Structure formats: C-alpha cells, structure tokens
Amino acid sequence: MADIIVVGGGAAGMMAAGVAANQGAEVLLLEKNEQLGKKILITGKGRCNLTNNCGIEEIIANFPKNGSFLYSALYTFTNQQLRDFFAELGVPTKVERGGRVFPESDSARDIVAALKRYLEENGVKIKLNTAVAKVLVEEKQVTGVEDRDGNCYLAKRVILTPGGAVYPSTGSSGDGYQMLERIGHTITSIKPSLVPLKVKEEWASEAQGLTLKNVEASLYFNDEMIRTEFGELLFTHFGVSGPIVLTLSRNVVNNLGKGSLKLEIDLKPVLTEQQLDDRVQRDFEQYSRKQFKNSLSDLLPSKLIPIVIELSSIPEDKFVNQITKEERAELVRILKGLTLTIIGTKGLKQAIVTKGGVSTDEIDSSTMESKLISGLYLAGEVVDIDAYTGGFNLQAAFSTGYLSGINSIN
Ligand SMILES: Cc1cc2nc3c(=O)[nH]c(=O)nc-3n(C[C@H](O)[C@H](O)[C@H](O)COP(=O)(O)OP(=O)(O)OC[C@H]3O[C@@H](n4cnc5c(N)ncnc54)[C@H](O)[C@@H]3O)c2cc1C
C-alpha cells in the first residue's frame, strides 16, 4: 500500500508526486493515458510557456476569479523556483515578450522528459492506462481510489489532479468533477475559457489564415466597451482566434446570451484618425492614377484589401484621384474599427483552459487539502481557477501541485 496516491500525470500531478516522493513518501501515480504529460506536449504550440517572469502579485492579477486563493501556492513555489527546478533538471529556460518563459530548447518534450526523470529519481511508482473512477471515502476520511475496472488502490492520502474538461483528447475530460461531486464537493459551472470566437460576418472566413500583428481589439457588450487588448489576432474559417482574442474570450463567455457582443479591430492602433488620414492621403497621392483596389497594398495585407473595399462604399474601380474627402474619412473609420458580431465561442474541445471547477471555498488554500474529506488534496485545473494566457495556468498547476505534494506527507 502506497502512502500517497496521485491521480493524473499532468503538470500538477507529476509535480505533486515527485515532491512527495522526494520528501520520503511511497507514491503511486495513476494515469489514464498511455503516457504522462500529454497536454504539456501541446502547450505553447509545442514550446511550453511554462510560467511568466513577472512578480507574484501580477501573476495573481492574471487570474480574473479566485486569484487570491493562490497566494500560498504561488509564494511557496514561485515562478523563479519553477525555473530553477527545471534548470537543475537540465532544462534551462528563457524569457520572451510579455515575460513569457519557455525552455531554451523551445521543446515541451524536454519539460515532460525532465518531470519524468524527477519521478524516476525519486522512486515514484507509475501505473499508466489506469482511469480512476471513484474516490473511496469512509467517515469523511479518504481511503483510496477505484479504477474503471473495479480495482482498488488504498492509501490514506490521495492527491487528485485530473485536469479540467478542455482538450479531452489529452486525457482531461472532466472525470474529476464527477468523482468529486459524488463525494459531496461543489463544482461551479464548467465553461470553456481562452477560446476562439465565432462571428456572424462571412468576410472573416474569407480572411482565414491571416494573422494580424500589433492590432488592437476592443470588446463591446451592449455597445459599451468592456476590454481592449493589443497584439496578435488570427482569422479562421469560423471567426477569430489568436492571443488577444483568447484573452478577450473570457469576458465573452461571461456575457454570452445576455446582450449584443461586438469586436472592433483597430488595424492601425498607433496612429490617431488624423495621422492615419494623413497617411492614406500620402498613399492616394502616390497612387492617384490607379484604381482604388490597386491603391491599398502599402496599407493592408492582400487578404484584407477586397474585404475593406467591400465594407466601404467606394467602388473598387474608382480612380484614386476621384475619391472624395468623405469617402477617405469612411475608409479611415473602417481601418480604425473593423467590426465583427460575436455569435458564440468554440466549445470545450478547442479551449485552452476550463472556467469553473471544484469550489475554492471547499479547499484549504494553505495546503490544498479538501475541507470536506480529510486526506484528499486537489490541485491544478480541476480547481476553480483559470488565468489569461502568458504561462499563468501552468504555473498555477505546478504551484498547487507542489503545495499539495509537500503537505500530503504530513
Ligand atoms: C492547446 C493548449 C495549449 C496550452 N498552452 C499553455 C501554455 O503555453 N501555458 C500555460 O500556462 N498553459 C497552457 N495551457 C493550459 C495548461 O496546459 C493547463 O492549464 C495545465 O496543463 C493544467 O494542468 P493539470 O495538471 O491540472 O491538468 P492536465 O495537464 O490536463 O493533466 C491531467 C492529467 O490527468 C489525467 N486524468 C484525467 N482523468 C483521469 C482519470 N480519471 N484517471 C487517471 N488519470 C486521469 C489526464 O490524462 C492528464 O494526464 C494550454 C492548454 C491547451 C489545451
């Protein structure tokens, strides 16, 4: 019989298992997949943005809900400690734009390999292809777990780290919520977060594959601006995605079905309307003898030219020197506010992180132990915590995993 059973070999589970074993506990790690860390492999587009180099308070501020729940976890195992941890395991890291931290090798595989080495070095027993179905409890004390085939694994401490409900192909398919609800825990509403957006306008799909860098996207709810983000946006066959859209998506999820939601894209955010008008005027002087459709290539990527022409009331074959001041002003308005109507989001399958999970009211934030079942610890995305992009979600998984690991040995 193991001292501690860890359910789920993702970021939180591997950290928890390794840390507990490192402190001398006999640890058994049960993983449903045929391999550990499947989700980590696809993080950061295969490069794994494992944390962010900002201060702890800023990390906390990047969790729109329940950020303060993470104080103990993030101060016990900080972003700097996480970087040192991987450096000691032979995976040095580097900082990129926005404080995003990646392995120097740009390989998420190296992160998984390092964690596996850490488990091995500390003697963690690993059982793959084992889907846990039940947490066993007697008189409010955990006694072990049971897998889908009815096999029981007994232990006085169980750390549950089965992840959330997004990207189920990686193994995290919401199993944890069912297991925990059955033993009395409250699961808050589960929704996709950091998720691409579906839009009404068909022209968005005509631009599919186009990435716009350094644009500003503003989200309007019932015509009131609620959030603005600057950075990279991607057009897809159903709408829009990319870092700034994912960040805005959380506010979309909160307001979906409650009123109108619009996205306004400023293609030239560093220029004021006047500066942009001056710029367009200069282009128009240069291309005065050309048709309108042949005058925009210095200003716009080719995929956007027919779209902007269509959205404006200026005929595409009008000669530039015949375009009126009013028409030019309309063009400037479009470039400063390309508007899309949001009709929904993609589902859990395509989201980056789960919004909702085990209520943080029912977990002791200084240990990650359940307040309802003694000996049961919860860490990672299964808990009702989710952050914006930038490495914060993995840091939370590693920090809560660490905190549960060191506390479970007591
Ligand atoms: C495409 C994508 C890219 C991302 N990129 C980033 C990024 O760059 N930076 C960042 O910070 N975050 C990123 N995230 C989010 C981040 O990956 C997760 O928040 C994080 O992995 C959560 O860690 P976890 O250990 O809680 O869960 P997971 O990593 O999902 O691990 C859970 C593990 O539990 C196992 N499991 C589930 N149910 C059972 C069961 N019943 N029995 C046994 N085992 C079970 C699963 O198979 C899985 O291995 C990304 C997510 C996605 C989908």
Side-chain angles (χ1 to χ4, degrees), residues 44-325:
K45 294 187 180 146
R47 296 202 302 134
C48 187
N49 174 200
L50 64 150
T51 185
N52 196 286
N53 199 40
C54 64
I56 300 294
E57 298 297 322
E58 205 181 316
I59 296 184
I60 289 169
N62 271 281
F63 288 79
K65 189 183 160 199
N66 298 331
S68 57
F69 173 82
L70 291 169
Y71 265 94
S72 287
L74 291 170
Y75 276 105
T76 305
F77 190 62
T78 65
N79 46 353
Q80 197 49 56
Q81 281 166 289
L82 181 66
R83 294 185 65 188
D84 293 345
F85 170 85
F86 280 111
E88 273 166 35
L89 287 167
V91 186
T93 53
K94 59 177 173 179
V95 183
E96 293 193 0
R97 190 177 44 83
R100 288 161 201 255
V101 175
F102 293 88
E104 268 177 19
S105 63
D106 283 328
S107 167
R109 285 192 179 278
D110 289 351
I111 294 290
V112 175
L115 286 164
K116 280 196 208 161
R117 261 196 319 279
Y118 184 57
L119 298 178
E120 217 168 275
E121 280 165 16
N122 287 292
V124 173
K125 292 200 181 72
I126 300 165
K127 197 160 184 293
L128 300 172
N129 301 305
T130 307
V132 169
K134 270 186 208 160
V135 177
L136 305 173
V137 179
E138 273 173 36
E139 292 171 6
K140 301 203 171 169
Q141 161 71 49
V142 79
T143 57
V145 297
E146 186 180 314
D147 72 15
R148 279 195 193 144
D149 300 325
N151 301 309
C152 291
Y153 304 85
L154 303 180
K156 288 202 177 105
R157 304 264 195 270
V158 169
I159 305 177
L160 206 64
T161 55
V166 300
Y167 254 81
S169 54
T170 62
S172 48
S173 50
D175 301 6
Y177 309 135
Q178 289 151 29
M179 289 188 244
L180 287 161
E181 231 166 12
R182 212 176 291 144
I183 54 173
H185 268 289
T186 310
I187 310 298
T188 62
S189 166
I190 300 299
K191 288 184 178 163
S193 191
L194 303 186
V195 63
L197 303 178
K198 294 191 211 166
V199 302
K200 188 170 104 189
E201 288 74 11
E202 279 169 16
W203 63 256
S205 65
E206 287 163 28
Q208 78 172 275
L210 172 67
T211 297
L212 298 175
K213 290 194 170 142
N214 303 323
V215 294
E216 195 172 86
S218 301
L219 180 67
Y220 286 80
F221 176 59
N222 287 339
D223 298 325
E224 195 184 317
M225 207 265 279
I226 53 172
R227 195 180 172 104
T228 295
E229 289 294 322
F230 175 85
E232 198 174 302
L233 176 146
L234 165 74
F235 287 98
T236 65
H237 63 283
F238 52 80
V240 279
S241 187
I244 60 175
V245 169
L246 296 181
T247 299
L248 292 169
S249 70
R250 201 177 192 286
N251 300 75
V252 171
V253 170
N254 286 342
N255 291 302
L256 212 55
K258 297 180 188 164
S260 77
L261 281 161
K262 290 212 156 75
L263 195 68
E264 215 173 83
I265 306 164
D266 184 345
L267 298 169
K268 305 286 171 190
V270 292
L271 301 180
T272 62
E273 277 206 14
Q274 185 55 56
Q275 286 168 330
L276 182 57
D277 188 49
D278 293 345
R279 159 80 204 272
V280 173
Q281 224 172 323
R282 281 199 300 277
D283 281 9
F284 279 7
E285 272 160 28
Q286 190 183 346
Y287 299 117
S288 63
R289 287 153 190 265
K290 294 203 169 186
Q291 291 178 318
F292 178 46
K293 66 180 174 194
N294 297 321
S295 69
L296 298 170
S297 55
D298 292 349
L299 206 57
L300 291 171
S302 56
K303 270 195 177 172
L304 272 188
I305 293 176
I307 294 167
V308 167
I309 291 175
E310 182 73 29
L311 292 172
S312 79
S313 56
I314 311 169
E316 61 168 17
D317 49 3
K318 189 166 185 174
F319 282 97
V320 169
N321 55 17
Q322 287 166 10
I323 292 175
T324 65
K325 196 174 166 199

Side-chain angles (χ1 to χ4, degrees), residues 8 10-12 31-33 43-44 49 132 162-163 167 171 175 352 380-381 391 394:
E31 165 56 51
K32 164 161 111 172
N33 286 330
T43 57
N49 174 200
V132 169
Y167 254 81
D175 301 6
I352 302 290
E381 204 176 307
L394 276 172

Side-chain angles (χ1 to χ4, degrees), residues 329-342:
E330 187 202 3
L331 174 64
V332 168
R333 267 199 306 281
I334 293 170
L335 299 177
K336 293 290 288 175
L338 212 51
T339 304
L340 289 164
T341 315
I342 298 163

